[in-house]
Amino acid sequence: MAAQNRQRLGDILVQTGIITPEQLAEALDEQKHSGERLGNVLVKKGYLTEQRLIEVLEFQLGIPHVVIAKRHISPDVVALVPETLARKYRIFPVERNGDRLVLGMVDPTNILAIDDLRLSLKMEIQPVIVTEEDLNHTFNQYYGIKESVRDVFKDMDVEIEETKSDEPSMDAIESMVDDAPIVRLVNLIITQAVKERASDIHLEPTEKELVVRYRVDGRLRQMMTTPKNTQPAIISRIKIISGMNIAEKRIPQDGRIQMRVDGVPIDLRVSSVPTVFGEKIVMRILFKNNVLVKMDKLGFLPETLEKFRSVYRNPHGIILVTGPTGSGKTTTLSAVLNELNSPEENIMTVEDPVEYQIPGINQVQVNVKAGLTFASALRAFLRQDPDIIMVGEIRDKETAQIATQAALTGHLVLSTLHTNDAPSSITRLIDMDIEPFLVASTVIGVLAQRLVRAICEGCKEAYQIQPNDVYYSIVREWLRELPEERLIFYKGKGCRQCNGTGYAKRVALHEVLVVDKDIRYLIGKNVPSTELKEAAMKSGMITLFKDGLLKALEGKTTLEEVIRVAYTRE
């Protein structure tokens, strides 16, 4: 390392006039008592900003600044530096080039750290500057939950009693479920899931271990495994705090947990199912303080949003939002209600559960045990002088019949269904024994939607699709009007920020079926959904797949995601 690079941080800052000798002396004195890095002390005292510190080090030492979040680092490179050393010296390996290691450092003047690694790895060390915040995110990403889990297991000194059937006794389980390490481990699994923006937590028993997976942006990701002998206590702890019967392991059960994570209230819907290796638990995470998203922010194409708005601004009729579980149907309906909300309207909803609390709207939560179902609540609503009614889901014939009756008597009814596309919702209602002429008279519009993963903005890059691409013929078939040079799509290379996946967050695809007189005539004739779809497309309906292709061209998602989620061969 060059001699000038061996200067101490304080000396560099004084020589460049960034701080005074008195400020340095004061910061060094405080550092002796706090044990913090000198740079941290100087930033906290307001003598300089972290950005200014980086600029000085870059200019004076010729050491570049690197954002680790924008890189995907190989596990082999991460393994080169022991976690204890990384945390001790505030460093992280970024890249290996032969016998040279590019090392991210908060303080690149720390010669002790550089010499220590050079000797232990027998490699040349090339320092680069990283920020404190970037490094903290990196530690959470690569070490976070695994390190915390190791700490929990280190504290465990309780052995589960073994029986001939390898099933621990109830006494043994009950003695462990309230044990501090098990309590901490369960809390850690939940809190980490919230931090990772997971929608679901899966605890899956296998022959030799318990696997924990999170569903993030619609895709499952394995986060950790725990030893098999901890499985009964972990599962039982979750069953107890969610109100399930821990003695019953032969049948599926449902429960609920209410808690706060970092001050945020969350609701966990818990489901257990017996498998050959023990009970599998799935927890759906619902945020009680979900922030309402405005219609303009839901990712609609302008033309599609205009069509949908023309539908829900009708004074009466049924509007359906359709899609699989977790496709954002409730978010869309809540945004619609928020836009329709006014002091002149009596709006009532029945939901399971209430995910968005909207001031000025009367919201009811389903309670099946008490006899409060979608159908019974909807029947009661009709005696409450409503203008607009929202039913969380039309699940059965009774609910469908009452919703139809409400629409016929001058109410606007919004609800959801589980179907593959918008036209299929019409045939689904008819399958529930609602007469075709009643469906034609009441349904005024259907919105189908799906969620696809959005491209990570930290590593997005463009490319032009080529004739030898596996999806080229599909793209040309659906985008015939576009010239070859405009077929530019995007993808994420993969970085730390997106866990190397190339994706971060999600974006919605939409398909709006407006029931005009031609569609109404076909519904009355009870034609197949394929005929309804053809007629709707002739009237200008943009299908889910076409909507996805247009959003892929805009760089919101990838072509692969759109085809995975929305493409079907006719």
Side-chain angles (χ1 to χ4, degrees):
M1 198 172 187
Q4 68 174 39
N5 287 6
R6 292 189 174 272
Q7 286 181 279
R8 291 181 301 180
L9 176 62
D11 295 335
I12 293 171
L13 294 173
V14 170
Q15 288 170 15
T16 52
I18 304 298
I19 62 173
T20 66
E22 291 74 24
Q23 288 173 330
L24 174 59
E26 187 182 333
L28 287 170
D29 186 54
E30 185 170 321
Q31 185 194 24
K32 287 177 185 176
H33 294 95
S34 67
E36 283 190 272
R37 287 191 314 103
L38 179 60
N40 263 8
V41 175
L42 290 166
V43 170
K44 280 184 179 179
K45 295 181 81 64
Y47 295 153
L48 78 168
T49 63
E50 187 173 31
Q51 185 58 40
R52 182 65 175 134
L53 178 60
I54 289 170
E55 289 170 359
V56 170
L57 292 174
E58 275 191 290
F59 180 73
Q60 292 295 318
L61 304 180
I63 298 176
H65 169 219
V66 165
V67 181
I68 307 179
K70 293 184 177 179
R71 293 172 175 249
H72 177 53
I73 302 170
S74 163
D76 294 337
V77 174
V78 176
L80 288 172
V81 179
E83 186 178 339
T84 50
L85 279 184
R87 291 184 181 275
K88 176 183 176 182
Y89 291 130
R90 308 295 295 159
I91 59 177
F92 198 81
V94 175
E95 185 182 334
R96 178 176 184 169
N97 297 315
D99 62 351
R100 181 182 295 271
L101 178 66
V102 177
L103 186 69
M105 305 182 70
V106 171
D107 179 7
T109 66
N110 188 339
I111 305 306
L112 181 61
I114 292 172
D115 288 344
D116 194 347
L117 278 181
R118 182 187 289 115
L119 290 171
S120 62
L121 297 178
K122 295 181 173 54
M123 297 176 70
E124 281 302 309
I125 305 300
Q126 179 185 335
V128 293
I129 305 166
V130 296
T131 65
E132 194 79 44
E133 182 184 14
D134 191 19
L135 194 68
N136 286 334
H137 281 305
T138 302
F139 282 170
N140 288 337
Q141 181 66 43
Y142 289 94
Y143 302 141
I145 191 167
K146 296 182 181 68
E147 175 67 11
S148 301
V149 169
R150 280 199 291 271
D151 288 344
V152 170
F153 288 146
K154 185 175 63 181
D155 294 341
M156 283 188 182
D157 55 4
V158 182
E159 289 292 331
I160 297 180
E161 174 187 323
E162 296 290 338
T163 65
K164 289 181 182 178
S165 64
D166 291 325
E167 182 66 29
S169 69
M170 285 304 300
D171 288 341
I173 293 174
E174 287 173 359
S175 70
M176 283 196 72
V177 291
D178 292 324
D179 195 56
I182 288 295
V183 172
R184 283 169 53 202
L185 182 55
V186 171
N187 289 344
L188 173 67
I189 290 170
I190 295 171
T191 55
Q192 188 67 24
V194 172
K195 290 176 183 175
E196 296 278 343
R197 299 179 296 102
S199 60
D200 301 86
I201 305 169
H202 290 235
L203 287 87
E204 302 171 341
T206 65
E207 185 177 4
K208 297 181 179 178
E209 59 193 5
L210 179 69
V211 177
V212 179
R213 298 199 289 171
Y214 295 164
R215 187 176 294 280
V216 180
D217 295 334
R219 304 287 276 182
L220 280 170
R221 178 191 302 167
Q222 183 168 320
M223 296 303 296
M224 58 176 278
T225 59
T226 72
K228 187 69 175 177
N229 69 342
T230 64
Q231 177 183 313
I234 292 171
I235 299 298
S236 296
R237 171 68 186 170
I238 292 170
K239 289 176 72 177
I240 285 174
I241 62 177
S242 61
M244 297 185 195
N245 180 359
I246 65 167
E248 181 56 78
K249 302 176 183 179
R250 300 164 299 174
I251 59 173
Q253 295 186 62
D254 294 309
R256 180 182 177 188
I257 303 169
Q258 292 179 294
M259 62 188 297
R260 285 179 174 268
V261 176
D262 293 336
V264 177
I266 63 168
D267 201 342
L268 295 164
R269 295 304 171 100
V270 187
S271 168
S272 75
V273 172
T275 73
V276 291
F277 295 120
E279 289 176 284
K280 173 186 163 99
I281 295 277
V282 174
M283 293 183 273
R284 164 64 57 90
I285 303 174
L286 302 168
F287 292 88
K288 285 188 168 184
N289 63 346
N290 271 341
V291 178
L292 269 173
V293 184
K294 292 186 177 180
M295 290 299 299
D296 296 334
K297 303 295 182 184
L298 289 178
F300 280 88
L301 293 174
E303 179 185 344
T304 307
L305 181 55
E306 186 181 341
K307 279 187 180 180
F308 189 44
R309 276 196 168 125
S310 72
V311 171
Y312 65 71
R313 283 175 176 162
N314 275 284
H316 54 80
I318 296 175
I319 299 169
L320 297 171
V321 178
T322 181
T325 301
S327 59
K329 300 186 295 294
T330 303
T331 300
T332 300
L333 279 179
S334 298
V336 170
L337 289 177
N338 192 48
E339 196 165 289
L340 295 174
N341 194 10
S342 78
E344 291 79 32
E345 302 285 353
N346 177 19
I347 303 177
M348 305 195 72
T349 77
V350 55
E351 305 167 64
D352 183 22
V354 174
E355 291 186 35
Y356 296 88
Q357 295 179 9
I358 311 173
I361 292 181
N362 309 283
Q363 295 174 272
V364 174
Q365 184 153 306
V366 165
N367 187 339
V368 177
K369 289 180 181 177
L372 181 59
T373 63
F374 283 126
S376 63
L378 188 51
R379 195 178 291 109
F381 285 179
L382 295 179
R383 299 190 291 272
Q384 291 277 317
D385 185 31
D387 296 298
I388 300 169
I389 297 171
M390 194 271 268
V391 188
E393 184 183 344
I394 295 178
R395 292 178 178 170
D396 50 46
K397 176 182 176 180
E398 185 183 8
T399 308
Q401 287 176 333
I402 303 169
T404 304
Q405 192 61 41
L408 284 171
T409 52
H411 302 91
L412 184 64
V413 181
L414 296 91
S415 191
T416 71
L417 275 178
H418 289 260
T419 60
N420 290 327
D421 58 12
S424 299
S425 298
I426 304 297
T427 52
R428 177 81 181 104
L429 281 180
I430 295 171
D431 288 342
M432 287 181 175
D433 289 338
I434 306 300
E435 292 291 342
F437 77 89
L438 286 176
V439 176
S441 303
T442 55
V443 177
I444 56 176
V446 184
L447 167 69
Q449 68 179 50
R450 294 284 190 284
L451 292 179
V452 292
R453 290 179 294 173
I455 302 173
C456 172
E457 291 297 329
C459 58
K460 182 162 77 172
E461 61 181 14
Y463 71 96
Q464 184 166 357
I465 193 167
Q466 301 298 322
N468 60 355
D469 190 285
V470 65
Y471 300 127
Y472 181 82
S473 59
I474 298 173
V475 170
R476 289 313 288 157
E477 179 188 351
W478 282 81
L479 299 174
R480 291 193 184 106
E481 69 277 12
L482 289 182
E484 194 88 14
E485 61 271 14
R486 288 187 57 192
L487 295 180
I488 305 294
F489 292 95
Y490 300 82
K491 61 183 176 182
K493 291 187 295 184
C495 63
R496 203 280 309 163
Q497 194 173 327
C498 60
N499 255 347
T501 63
Y503 298 98
K505 299 185 180 179
R506 288 189 284 179
V507 64
L509 310 184
H510 303 100
E511 174 179 291
V512 174
L513 170 65
V514 178
V515 180
D516 56 22
K517 63 178 183 180
D518 294 330
I519 299 293
R520 194 170 291 115
Y521 173 75
L522 292 173
I523 294 172
K525 288 180 62 179
N526 195 14
V527 302
S529 61
T530 50
E531 283 191 41
L532 285 177
K533 186 171 184 176
E534 286 174 13
M537 288 174 68
K538 285 178 183 175
S539 297
M541 182 182 81
I542 299 174
T543 65
L544 278 168
F545 184 58
K546 182 69 174 285
D547 187 86
L549 287 178
L550 295 175
K551 284 169 181 170
L553 286 170
E554 290 179 357
K556 293 178 179 177
T557 187
T558 64
L559 179 59
E560 289 76 13
E561 268 294 282
V562 173
I563 287 175
R564 179 182 70 84
V565 172
Y567 181 69
T568 53
R569 292 189 179 277
E570 297 297 336

